[in-house]
């Protein structure tokens, strides 16, 4: 397993994916801060108001698409030059292969979330927001990361299935809107994209009670297992379309 | 013409039309929900102007991402299949292939813009919006959207053909969508520097709000911006074509 993971990291060398992982949180944060700065009379809730501005677009639109880009990216090399044939003929289990890819995407998203939180803290300091830094936002960010894993499990399955780099990202965009719809209808726990909205406290900063937190964790674990099993069994049973 | 027909031939099984239709359907469902809520709150919101403005503002988010995906799919097949070498051995020059791809991508988005215009008319009739269908406003809406699309596709084609890794092109599409959505927050001086805000700026409808009231104003989009977007399209297209033709395969 460790060798599979290190092979995945090796494939990412010189890919400059870090640039993509960095740019999107920076732009979301800059525009969120800009909006907060010019509307301070209406936004009176300090750190929480800043969170609503910076996390809205990031958590709702860009993080799910960033996850889709990362998933398509880690499958990109396999889709090129008949590499799937080589990978599937090598002496590593398909489960290891999938878990290594999921772990790699998970680490990339974790880095993006950590960077986003660091910038949120820095922006708060620069804007001289009164009061202590709210620790809940770190929890929201961690919950968002956990929800990202269930989206990543689904997107990885789609990216392994489809040769195109762009189509899984388009599918993710459509799923984002479906997720908003389900969140509005209070069915958010049933869809990974809505779980991200709930977890990151993007549209509501009420926070979850302990029962809701357990449900959130259970549903995410269920989705990770479900999509993981689906992708692994599909890879085991069906022929891969290698170009 | 042959190069163009070959582009359509190459994408015949890529289901790009279906994908585009699905994305637009998602946009239209969102637009119809938001318009229905807005009309149920205030009956005076049931106007053609409000409908066209709502679609223009949503285009700022959707069309940059959709354009990035469409262009990426059209260009990536040459990278994936290593077909540039093959293309160079034929009589078709690189510039002709570049032009064919550009026209092909724009025609796909044009199909989307026409579908949006049909949706506006259909939704307006279903909600019994008063007055005749504003054909001139719809035409200006389509023209403004296509002018912006010409620039954005030229930019994306440049990036998608010169950088093999499509993650960057899609990242730019996402940034464009973000800028397009938030462009209303910027002062006009900054907004006019960002092409993604032109979906709103070249729309024939403007929403004016002040402390006393808010209302829609219809009129021809500024001629200066239309010329600027045409010029930008020419610049990005030419620069991309030149860069692509000089690049080693």
């Amino acid at each position: 397993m460790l060798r599979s993971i290190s092979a995945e990291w090796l494939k990412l060398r010189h890919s400059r994916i870090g640039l993509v992982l960095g740019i999107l949180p920076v732009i979301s944060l800059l525009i969120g801060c800009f909006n907060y700065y010019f509307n301070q009379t209406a936004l009176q809730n300090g750190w929480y108001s800043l969170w609503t501005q910076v996390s809205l677009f990031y958590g709702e639109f860009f993080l799910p698409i960033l996850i889709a880009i990362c998933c398509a990216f880690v499958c990109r090399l396999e889709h090129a030059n008949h590499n799937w044939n080589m990978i599937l003929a090598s002496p590593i289990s398909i489960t290891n292969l999938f878990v290594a890819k999921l772990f790699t995407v998970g680490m990339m998203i974790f880095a993006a979330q950590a960077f986003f939180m660091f910038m949120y803290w820095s922006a708060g300091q620069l804007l001289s927001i009164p009061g202590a830094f709210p620790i809940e936002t770190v929890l929201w960010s961690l919950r968002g990361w956990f929800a990202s894993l269930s989206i990543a499990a689904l997107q990885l399955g789609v990216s392994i299935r489809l040769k195109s780099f762009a189509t899984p990202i388009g599918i993710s965009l459509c799923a984002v809107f479906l997720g908003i719809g389900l969140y509005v209808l209070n069915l958010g726990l049933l869809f990974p994209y809505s779980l991200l909205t709930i977890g990151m406290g993007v549209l509501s900063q009420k926070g979850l009670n302990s029962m809701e937190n357990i449900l959130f964790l259970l549903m995410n674990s269920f989705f990770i297992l479900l999509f993981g099993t689906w992708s692994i069994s599909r890879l085991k049973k069906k022929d891969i379309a290698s170009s | 013409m042959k190069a163009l027909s070959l582009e359509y031939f190459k994408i015949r099984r890529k289901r790009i039309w279906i994908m585009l239709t699905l994305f637009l359907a998602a946009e239209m469902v969102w637009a119809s929900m938001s318009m229905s809520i807005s009309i149920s709150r205030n009956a005076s919101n049931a106007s053609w102007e409000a409908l066209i403005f709502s679609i223009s503002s949503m285009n700022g988010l959707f069309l940059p991402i959709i354009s990035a995906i469409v262009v990426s799919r059209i260009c990536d097949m040459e990278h994936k299949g290593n077909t540039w070498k093959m293309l160079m051995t034929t009589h078709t020059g690189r510039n002709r292939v570049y032009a064919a791809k550009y026209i092909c991508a724009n025609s796909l988005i044009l199909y989307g813009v026409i579908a949006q215009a049909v949706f506006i008319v259909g939704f307006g009739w279903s909600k019994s919006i008063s007055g005749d269908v504003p054909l001139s406003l719809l035409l200006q809406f389509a023209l403004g959207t296509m002018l912006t699309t010409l620039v954005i596709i030229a930019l994306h084609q440049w990036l998608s053909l010169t950088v093999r890794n499509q993650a960057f092109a899609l990242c730019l599409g996402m940034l464009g969508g973000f800028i397009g959505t938030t462009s209303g927050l910027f002062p006009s001086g900054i907004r006019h520097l960002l092409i993604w805000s032109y979906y709103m700026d070249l729309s024939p409808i403007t929403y004016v709000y002040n402390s006393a009231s808010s209302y829609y104003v219809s009129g021809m989009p500024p001629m200066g911006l239309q010329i600027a977007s045409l010029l930008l399209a020419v610049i990005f297209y030419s620069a991309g074509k030149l860069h692509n033709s000089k690049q080693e395969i």
Side-chain angles (χ1 to χ4, degrees):
Chain A
M1 173 63 78
L2 279 176
R3 287 182 67 190
S4 300
I5 292 169
S6 70
E8 288 300 326
W9 283 113
L10 204 64
K11 287 184 221 167
L12 292 177
R13 263 185 331 164
H14 307 302
S15 63
R16 300 199 186 102
I17 187 74
L19 208 64
V20 177
L21 284 171
I23 285 176
L24 292 166
V26 168
I27 302 279
S28 310
L29 200 112
L30 281 179
I31 295 184
C33 289
F34 181 84
N35 201 27
Y36 174 82
Y37 185 75
F38 286 103
N39 295 291
Q40 283 186 68
T41 43
L43 301 166
Q44 298 261 318
N45 206 7
W47 285 97
Y48 294 99
S49 294
L50 180 64
W51 179 262
T52 59
Q53 300 307 299
V54 299
S55 72
L56 180 64
F57 281 99
Y58 175 71
E60 203 58 63
F61 295 103
F62 297 117
L63 184 56
I65 298 177
L66 194 62
I67 298 165
I69 289 183
C70 290
C71 291
F73 198 83
V74 295
C75 297
R76 181 174 150 261
L77 278 182
E78 276 78 1
H79 283 303
N81 302 324
H82 306 276
N83 283 339
W84 270 121
N85 293 346
M86 207 155 46
I87 291 273
L88 294 178
S90 63
I92 52 160
S93 78
I94 285 171
T95 310
N96 272 8
L97 176 74
F98 183 84
V99 173
K101 284 194 185 298
L102 186 61
F103 179 83
T104 310
V105 173
M107 285 300 106
M108 286 153 93
I109 299 302
F110 187 82
Q113 289 284 82
F115 183 50
F116 178 75
M117 285 312 292
F118 169 71
M119 285 190 307
Y120 169 63
W121 173 80
S122 313
Q125 299 296 326
L126 280 173
L127 293 166
S128 308
I129 295 178
F133 177 79
I135 296 298
E136 299 103 290
T137 54
V138 178
L139 179 72
W140 295 347
S141 160
L142 282 173
R143 269 200 323 231
W145 173 72
F146 193 56
S148 299
L149 291 182
S150 56
I151 298 178
L154 170 63
Q155 283 295 142
L156 261 181
V158 176
S159 292
I160 290 171
R161 168 84 180 79
L162 300 173
K163 274 191 286 181
S164 161
F165 188 92
T167 309
I169 292 150
I171 292 171
S172 164
L173 180 69
C174 288
V176 163
F177 291 105
L178 185 61
I180 297 173
L182 287 173
Y183 177 84
V184 172
L185 295 170
N186 280 326
L187 297 170
L189 283 171
L190 302 176
F191 195 55
Y193 290 80
S194 321
L195 282 170
L196 182 63
T197 308
I198 296 171
M200 274 195 76
V202 173
L203 298 176
S204 162
Q205 287 78 46
K206 268 195 312 186
L208 303 180
N209 60 36
S210 48
M211 193 60 209
E212 286 169 332
N213 263 322
I214 292 169
L215 252 178
F216 174 84
L217 293 174
L218 277 177
M219 286 311 289
N220 269 307
S221 309
F222 168 72
F223 282 128
I224 294 168
L225 279 175
L226 177 75
F227 297 132
T229 314
W230 166 65
S231 302
I232 291 166
S233 64
R234 200 176 186 288
L235 262 177
K236 279 181 180 167
K237 287 178 188 158
K238 298 249 176 180
D239 280 342
I240 199 100
S242 100
S243 55
Chain B
M1 206 58 202
K2 201 168 179 182
L4 181 61
S5 65
L6 281 172
E7 284 304 320
Y8 289 115
F9 187 71
K10 283 187 230 172
I11 59 168
R12 71 194 183 285
R13 293 210 183 101
K14 288 201 171 283
R15 299 190 191 126
I16 297 181
W17 296 95
I18 301 168
M19 191 185 70
L20 191 62
T21 309
L22 281 174
F23 291 162
L24 287 169
E27 183 184 354
M28 296 304 109
V29 167
W30 193 11
S32 53
M33 274 167 65
S34 89
M35 277 304 293
S36 299
I37 293 167
S38 158
I39 291 169
S40 66
R41 280 184 189 154
N42 185 354
S44 67
N45 285 334
S47 68
W48 293 105
E49 286 81 5
L51 195 51
I52 294 173
F53 180 81
S54 161
I55 300 290
S56 299
S57 60
M58 283 183 191
N59 277 346
L61 170 66
F62 280 88
L63 283 189
I65 303 176
I66 292 174
S67 303
I69 292 172
V70 167
V71 175
S72 166
R73 294 209 67 191
I74 290 174
C75 299
D76 195 32
M77 58 189 175
E78 310 294 355
H79 295 310
K80 279 219 175 101
N82 278 327
T83 47
W84 277 116
K85 281 178 199 163
M86 214 153 42
L87 284 169
M88 290 309 95
T89 59
T90 64
H91 287 298
T92 321
R94 248 197 268 191
N95 288 347
R96 205 172 282 180
V97 176
Y98 195 90
K101 285 194 185 297
Y102 185 67
I103 297 169
C104 179
N106 275 301
S107 68
L108 286 165
I109 303 294
L110 178 66
Y111 150 73
V113 175
I114 292 170
Q116 286 184 338
V118 171
F119 165 81
I120 290 172
V121 174
F123 185 82
W125 280 344
S126 75
K127 292 284 171 189
S128 312
I129 291 177
S130 58
D132 293 333
V133 175
L135 283 177
S136 130
L137 286 182
L138 281 176
L139 203 67
Q140 285 174 40
F141 157 77
L143 186 75
T145 311
M146 276 318 291
L147 272 175
T148 315
T149 301
L150 284 176
V151 187
I152 286 172
I153 286 189
L155 193 61
H156 275 286
Q157 190 171 333
W158 182 4
L159 191 63
S160 286
L161 279 180
T162 47
V163 182
R164 281 179 76 98
N165 187 346
Q166 297 303 305
F168 294 101
L170 291 164
C171 181
L172 179 72
M174 218 156 64
L175 280 180
F178 187 53
I179 294 170
T181 316
T182 53
S183 61
L185 303 170
F186 301 126
S188 63
I190 296 175
R191 212 172 57 225
H192 291 159
L193 296 175
L194 303 165
I195 183 62
W196 299 276
S197 63
Y198 282 33
Y199 287 111
M200 290 270 280
D201 289 341
L202 291 183
S203 165
I205 312 295
T206 320
Y207 189 58
V208 179
Y209 53 90
N210 50 43
S211 52
S213 61
S214 52
Y215 49 93
Y216 293 99
V217 177
S218 60
M220 189 74 180
M223 191 51 83
L225 286 185
Q226 294 187 39
I227 294 169
S229 58
L230 255 182
L231 277 175
L232 281 172
V234 172
I235 291 167
F236 287 137
Y237 176 81
S238 311
K241 193 172 77 169
L242 190 74
H243 189 182
N244 185 56
S245 63
K246 299 257 185 235
Q247 213 179 19
E248 203 166 329
I249 296 167

